[in-house]
């Protein structure tokens, strides 16, 4: 499994619109590409957000980059031309686990 993480620092003025856009449009659109099997959207302190997208393998992630990433990024930029700073990272999952209670 490959995790693609995007961290966003968002201007407080656009936080409500950003959260709604991500939940209602961007994340569903990204999952609809078929490149990912899961996603999470988390909020931290200081108006920072983390999106984790789970690709089953490197090939699926590369298909996303080749076929969809430019369009998805343009949609975000059209909606929010200013006020968001992004960083992106790829992680290879070595092990997953859950604690059963």
């Amino acid at each position: 499994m490959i995790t693609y993480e995007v961290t966003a620092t968002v201007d407080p003025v656009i936080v409500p619109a950003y959260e709604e856009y991500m939940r209602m449009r961007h994340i569903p659109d990204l999952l609809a590409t078929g490149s990912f099997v899961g996603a999470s959207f988390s909020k931290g302190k200081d108006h920072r957000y983390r999106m984790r997208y789970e690709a089953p393998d490197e090939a699926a992630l590369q298909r996303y980059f080749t076929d969809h990433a430019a369009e998805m990024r343009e949609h975000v930029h059209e909606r929010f031309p200013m006020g968001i700073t992004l960083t992106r990272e790829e992680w290879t999952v070595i092990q997953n686990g859950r604690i059963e209670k």
Side-chain angles (χ1 to χ4, degrees):
M1 172 115 22
I2 305 293
T3 299
Y4 177 52
E5 286 191 2
V6 181
T7 302
T9 303
V10 181
D11 185 313
V13 172
I14 64 172
V15 160
Y18 175 77
E19 286 184 6
E20 180 177 356
Y21 175 80
M22 291 302 291
R23 289 176 45 251
M24 304 305 290
R25 172 81 192 269
H26 187 75
I27 294 171
D29 285 355
L30 189 135
L31 290 172
T33 68
S35 297
F36 300 97
V37 296
S40 66
F41 182 43
S42 304
K43 182 177 181 176
K45 296 180 180 180
D46 299 323
H47 311 290
R48 287 176 29 101
Y49 294 85
R50 181 177 64 189
M51 291 68 65
R52 292 183 67 236
Y53 305 110
E54 298 174 350
D57 53 37
E58 183 67 29
L61 181 60
Q62 292 308 314
R63 276 193 306 277
Y64 168 74
F65 289 143
T66 300
D67 299 341
H68 305 286
E71 182 179 5
M72 296 293 294
R73 291 173 183 176
E74 183 60 27
H75 285 171
V76 173
H77 183 72
E78 287 173 358
R79 179 68 174 89
F80 302 101
M82 294 184 295
I84 301 174
T85 303
L86 299 170
T87 59
R88 298 175 175 93
E89 291 186 86
E90 297 173 35
W91 298 83
T92 301
V93 176
I94 296 171
Q95 181 176 347
N96 273 326
R98 301 245 188 256
I99 298 173
E100 299 295 327
K101 293 185 179 189

